[in-house]
Amino acid sequence: SESGLFVREGLWRWIHDWALLGQGGGPAALVNGDRPAELEQCAAWFTPGRALRAYDAVLETRDALAINANKALALEALWLGFKA
C-alpha cells in the first residue's frame, strides 16, 4: 500500500540520516543529503536514542500495515510516538 511504502521507504531513510548526524557522521553517507537544512534541524532533536526508538516504531508500523491494520490509526500512533 502507499502508506506502507511511505513508512518503509521514506521514514527509515530520514531516521537513518538523523541518527548518523547525531553521531557526528558526515554528509557523504546521508541518504537525503540534498536536504541539509531539514536534516540538521531534525537531527538536533533526534538524539541517537530517539532515532533508534523512532526506527523501532517505524518497523512496528510497517509490520502492522503489512497485515492490513487500520492505516489511519497506525500512522497516528506512529506520529504520536514521535512527539513523546
Side-chain angles (χ1 to χ4, degrees), residues 32-69:
N32 296 295
D34 60 328
R35 314 278 311 254
E38 292 93 337
L39 287 171
E40 288 291 338
Q41 182 180 9
C42 292
W45 187 82
F46 271 94
T47 63
R50 279 185 174 163
L52 181 58
R53 286 191 300 278
Y55 181 73
D56 287 340
V58 166
L59 293 180
E60 288 176 15
T61 303
R62 178 204 62 194
D63 294 345
L65 292 171
I67 59 170
N68 295 320

Side-chain angles (χ1 to χ4, degrees), residues 12-28:
W12 84 264
R13 289 183 175 137
W14 282 94
I15 293 168
H16 164 272
D17 288 352
W18 297 331
L20 184 68
L21 289 171
Q23 291 291 322

